[in-house]
């Protein structure tokens, strides 16, 4: 049987952010169908993870989406399967380490260069051309997308 060539979706993930979706939605919804989830469910499920989980500026939503996609592909459902737990944790740590190599951190506020502390408001920033120009998010999303493609979608023949 001939191997089907996977078409990269890195640009699609970044373009999804430019449509107004948050970082987590942009990454997760771009790849969820590869693991059996429809786009609307993916958008809803990942919506709370944006802006560092609920706009608290903690773990970056793109990084959270890498972990959720890893779980869809290789996660465990047996609470007693310690080997499976270790496997998924190791995979997420490997993916996060690759992200850290590029950006130095997985924390949203650090990626954005914000002051230490909790974001006061849950209200999202207004999306303007200036907003998009000032954010590193498209590059962060593209990095997470590349890691997903190389780690979760790179099927060896």
């Amino acid at each position: 049987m001939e191997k089907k060539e996977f078409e990269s979706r890195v640009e699609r993930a970044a373009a999804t952010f430019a449509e107004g979706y948050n970082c987590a939605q942009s990454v997760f919804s771009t790849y969820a169908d590869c693991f059996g989830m429809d786009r609307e469910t993916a958008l809803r499920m990942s919506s709370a993870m944006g802006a560092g989980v609920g706009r608290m500026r903690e773990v970056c939503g793109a990084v959270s989406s890498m972990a959720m996609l890893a779980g869809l592909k290789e996660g465990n459902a047996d609470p007693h399967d310690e080997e499976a737990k270790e496997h998924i944790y190791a995979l997420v740590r490997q993916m996060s380490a690759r992200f850290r190599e590029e950006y130095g951190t997985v924390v949203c506020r650090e990626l954005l260069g914000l002051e230490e502390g909790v974001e006061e408001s849950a209200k999202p920033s207004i999306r303007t051309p200036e907003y998009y120009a000032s954010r590193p998010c498209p590059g962060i999303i593209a990095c997470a997308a590349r890691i997903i493609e190389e780690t979760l979608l790179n099927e060896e023949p």
Side-chain angles (χ1 to χ4, degrees):
M1 183 177 222
E2 192 174 311
K3 181 180 170 186
K4 184 179 178 190
E5 204 58 37
F6 176 79
E7 187 175 324
S8 177
R9 299 180 183 185
V10 171
E11 288 181 19
R12 184 188 316 174
T16 301
F17 181 75
E19 292 174 18
Y21 292 102
N22 70 39
C23 51
Q25 289 173 304
S26 299
V27 173
F28 193 73
S29 70
T30 298
Y31 297 99
D33 69 300
C34 297
F35 308 106
M37 183 179 286
D38 66 275
R39 180 173 168 79
E40 183 174 343
T41 301
L43 287 168
R44 288 175 183 272
M45 187 170 137
S46 59
S47 66
M49 303 307 286
V53 184
R55 202 167 189 267
M56 292 187 291
R57 305 298 185 194
E58 297 295 338
V59 174
C60 169
V63 173
S64 294
S65 289
M66 290 191 313
M68 291 189 303
L69 290 163
L72 278 176
K73 181 176 185 194
E74 299 190 28
N76 67 300
D78 178 352
H80 306 292
D81 188 343
E82 298 300 320
E83 190 175 303
K85 288 179 187 181
E86 182 180 5
H87 171 73
I88 193 62
Y89 294 161
L91 178 59
V92 170
R93 291 167 68 115
Q94 171 195 345
M95 295 171 75
S96 296
R98 289 187 55 199
F99 185 90
R100 238 186 236 105
E101 284 174 16
E102 180 108 9
Y103 283 97
T105 185
V106 297
V107 177
C108 175
R109 72 177 154 274
E110 293 171 3
L111 291 163
L112 296 178
L114 301 174
E115 301 276 326
E116 187 68 29
V118 176
E119 181 75 50
E120 293 297 319
S121 173
K123 184 174 179 146
S125 302
I126 302 297
R127 300 292 181 96
T128 63
E130 294 77 24
Y131 169 89
Y132 288 113
S134 71
R135 292 286 194 204
C137 302
I140 289 167
I141 289 164
C143 176
R146 281 191 304 276
I147 292 168
I148 289 161
E149 290 184 8
E150 293 166 7
T151 307
L152 302 178
L153 299 173
N154 184 16
E155 301 295 328
E156 295 299 319

